[in-house]
Amino acid sequence: MIAAQELVERALALSTVDEAMVLVTDAGEASLRWAGNSMTTNGVSTSRSWTVLSVVRSADGSARVGAVTSSTVDADAIADVVRASEAAARSAQPAEDAMDLPTGDGVGGGGWADGPATTGVEVFEGLVPGLADGFAGADRLYGFAHHQVHSTWLGTSAGVRRRFTQPTGSIEINGKRGDASAWVGSASLDFTDVSVPHLLADLGTRLDWSARTVALPAGRYETVLPPSAVSDLMIPLMWAMEGRGAQEGHTALSRKGGTRVGERLTDIPLTLYSDPHADRLGYAPFVATAASSDTLSVFDNGMDAGRVDWIRDGVINALAYPRAAAAEFDAPVAVPGDNLLLTGGSAATLDDLVARTERGLLLTTLWYLREVDPATALLTGLTRDGVYLVEDGAVTAAVNNFRFNDSPLDLLRRATEVGATEPTLPREWKDWFTRTAMPPMRIPDFHMSSVSQAQ
C-alpha cells in the first residue's frame, strides 16, 4: 500500500485546476465483546479513506469545489480520483463559503513523515483480569470494548502539510440481575486508566438498589444527573451552537436582530468549552474536513483550531463560524470541537448531591435522544438501565423508566447545584463523541413527560 504522504503528494502533483486539497485517514480498530459472562468475539481491522478536493476559481471571484472520496489502496487509481474530482468541480455551483486557502510552508514537524499508528487486541490486556472476575460472579454481564486509532494527513496546493493521530477508546458494561438492569462505561485513550473492578463495583451497587422497585407517575421531579447523563445533554447543545442558523433566526441561539451571545444563562459560573489541547481529551488542532457545512468549510482546511468557550462564566459566549460566515456576519471565527468540557461547579461529588436530596430521582443513563424543536433546543429521550428513588439522602429503590422532554439550555438555567468535573463517557452519543468531562448536576424540576414501558 502506498504511504499516505506519497498519496498526498502524487495527487497534488496530478492536479490541473487552480487549487487542490488531499485528506488521507488510515484507521485501525480493535474490539472485544462479551455476553452472558463469556467472551464472544474479538477482532482487528484496518482501512483507508482518502478524499481529493479540487477548486476551480473564476474571474468574478467565485469558486467551485468538487470532492471525490475513495477507499482504494491501489496507487494506479490516484489519477482517476483526481480527474473525477476536477470534473465534479467544473460542474458544481459556486461555493457560498469560498475563501483563499490557508497557506503553509510545506513539510515540517508534526510527525508528517511518520507512518500510521496501529492498535490490536493487546490494548485490552489490562481489562481481562477484571472481566474474568466479573464473569465468575452471579450477575450476568454483557458489554463491548472498542479502540480506534485514526491517523490523518492533510496536504494542500497552498503548502499546508499537517498530520494528527487520534486514539479513541471506550468500554461499556451492562449488568443484569433478575429483571433489573444497569449500565456503566468509561472512555479512554488506551485503557491504562480504566479500572474494571471499579466499574463492576458501581454496577453492583446499582443492581443492589434495584432490590426494591417503586412505580411513579409522569411529572416534574427533582433529579440528580451523573456526569454521563449531563454529557449526553450538553453535546446536542454544542451541536446547536452554530452561527449561521442563529443569525438567520431559526435556532435556540437566535434573538430578534441577532443572536443570544452575551446573554446570561445562570449565576453559577459555568463554562462549556472545547479545547484540542485538553489533557487526555485532545483532538486535531486544525481544520480537516472533506465537506462544507454551516459550521465547517473546506476552504479552512489546515487552519488552526483552538479552544472555544461556548458558554463562559454562565454567559453564552460563542457560536461556530467558518471564516466565510464570520466575515459575512462580522463575528469571530470559531471551529466546532471534538471534545466538550463543563466546569465551574463546586467540589461536590455525585454522592454528595444524592446525600443532600430529600426526595427525588437519580437518573443514571439516557437513551434515544432526539431533537424535537430546534427553536428551543428541546430534546426528547428515554431513561434506561437505572432510574432510582432518593429519599432522605439515600437511594431506596429503582423506579420505572420515563420519556422526558427538556432543553439543555433551560437545564443550565434551572440547575441549582453543579458538582466537580470529571472525565466521563456519554452513553447515547458514544459512537460519535467520546471525549467529554462533565460534573454531576441537580435539576429541581426535570420533566418526565410520560411513563415508558421499556425495560
Side-chain angles (χ1 to χ4, degrees), residues 260-331:
R260 292 173 65 181
V261 170
E263 177 183 322
R264 177 166 292 281
L265 284 177
T266 173
D267 290 331
I268 303 174
L270 298 178
T271 295
L272 182 72
Y273 69 97
S274 301
D275 183 357
H277 304 292
D279 185 37
R280 296 189 69 81
L281 297 172
Y283 58 91
F286 57 90
V287 176
T289 180
S292 291
S293 66
D294 284 341
T295 58
L296 285 170
S297 170
V298 297
F299 290 93
D300 293 345
N301 271 331
M303 181 183 75
D304 286 340
R307 171 171 167 159
V308 180
D309 289 358
W310 307 106
I311 297 169
R312 180 184 295 164
D313 294 330
V315 177
I316 300 173
N317 181 70
L319 301 175
Y321 291 92
R323 285 185 301 153
E328 178 181 351
F329 295 111
D330 191 25

Side-chain angles (χ1 to χ4, degrees), residues 8-9 12 102-113 154-163:
V8 169
E9 302 302 345
L12 291 175
T103 58
D105 298 326
V107 177
W112 175 263
L154 168 67
T156 77
S157 56
V160 167
R161 299 292 186 276
R162 306 200 74 164
R163 178 189 183 277

Side-chain angles (χ1 to χ4, degrees), residues 64-344:
R64 292 170 168 80
V65 180
V68 173
T69 298
S70 176
S71 60
T72 182
V73 294
D74 183 1
D76 293 337
I78 298 174
D80 292 338
V81 174
V82 172
R83 297 286 90 81
S85 173
E86 293 175 343
R90 293 187 180 100
S91 63
Q93 294 296 312
E96 295 181 357
D97 57 333
M99 297 286 286
D100 292 337
L101 298 186
T103 58
D105 298 326
V107 177
W112 175 263
D114 295 343
T118 59
T119 187
V121 292
E122 63 275 5
V123 76
F124 305 126
E125 286 180 352
L127 307 179
V128 174
L131 288 172
D133 289 342
F135 294 165
D139 297 329
R140 290 164 291 147
L141 302 181
Y142 302 79
F144 186 63
H146 189 215
H147 193 243
Q148 300 172 291
V149 181
H150 290 89
S151 300
T152 297
W153 293 261
L154 168 67
T156 77
S157 56
V160 167
R161 299 292 186 276
R162 306 200 74 164
R163 178 189 183 277
F164 187 78
T165 293
Q166 181 70 73
T168 303
S170 64
I171 178 173
E172 300 178 80
I173 308 175
N174 186 273
K176 299 185 183 298
R177 183 186 299 171
D179 292 332
S181 180
W183 175 94
V184 292
S186 180
S188 180
L189 295 177
D190 51 18
F191 300 101
T192 58
D193 54 352
V194 173
S195 169
V196 172
H198 178 77
L199 291 174
L200 292 178
D202 285 347
L203 195 67
T205 297
R206 295 181 182 187
L207 291 171
D208 289 343
W209 289 338
S210 300
R212 173 175 174 252
T213 60
V214 173
L216 292 179
R220 290 187 177 272
Y221 291 90
E222 180 170 335
T223 300
V224 174
L225 301 168
S228 175
V230 173
S231 70
D232 270 324
L233 293 165
M234 292 300 108
I235 290 168
L237 175 58
M238 186 194 71
W239 286 341
M241 300 185 81
E242 51 101 352
R244 179 173 294 279
Q247 295 281 358
E248 293 176 350
H250 52 73
T251 79
L253 282 304
S254 304
R255 69 179 174 191
K256 187 175 181 179
T259 73
R260 292 173 65 181
V261 170
E263 177 183 322
R264 177 166 292 281
L265 284 177
T266 173
D267 290 331
I268 303 174
L270 298 178
T271 295
L272 182 72
Y273 69 97
S274 301
D275 183 357
H277 304 292
D279 185 37
R280 296 189 69 81
L281 297 172
Y283 58 91
F286 57 90
V287 176
T289 180
S292 291
S293 66
D294 284 341
T295 58
L296 285 170
S297 170
V298 297
F299 290 93
D300 293 345
N301 271 331
M303 181 183 75
D304 286 340
R307 171 171 167 159
V308 180
D309 289 358
W310 307 106
I311 297 169
R312 180 184 295 164
D313 294 330
V315 177
I316 300 173
N317 181 70
L319 301 175
Y321 291 92
R323 285 185 301 153
E328 178 181 351
F329 295 111
D330 191 25
V333 175
V335 178
D338 200 27
N339 67 17
L340 192 62
L341 300 89
L342 180 63
T343 60

Side-chain angles (χ1 to χ4, degrees), residues 357-429:
T357 302
E358 182 176 348
R359 181 178 171 86
L361 299 179
L362 171 61
L363 196 172
T364 58
T365 70
L366 302 177
W367 185 258
Y368 207 71
L369 273 68
R370 296 295 182 269
E371 185 178 63
V372 175
D373 181 12
T376 60
L378 182 66
L379 300 177
T380 190
L382 299 171
T383 68
R384 178 168 175 161
D385 293 325
V387 187
Y388 304 98
L389 177 63
V390 181
E391 297 175 297
D392 298 324
V395 177
T396 60
V399 305
N400 46 275
N401 281 308
F402 297 94
R403 175 170 290 280
F404 72 88
N405 289 288
D406 226 319
S407 162
L409 275 172
D410 286 341
L411 292 176
L412 290 176
R413 189 189 304 279
R414 293 173 3 237
T416 54
E417 188 174 9
V418 179
T421 297
E422 62 183 62
T424 190
L425 177 70
R427 185 178 189 186
E428 169 70 2
W429 306 118

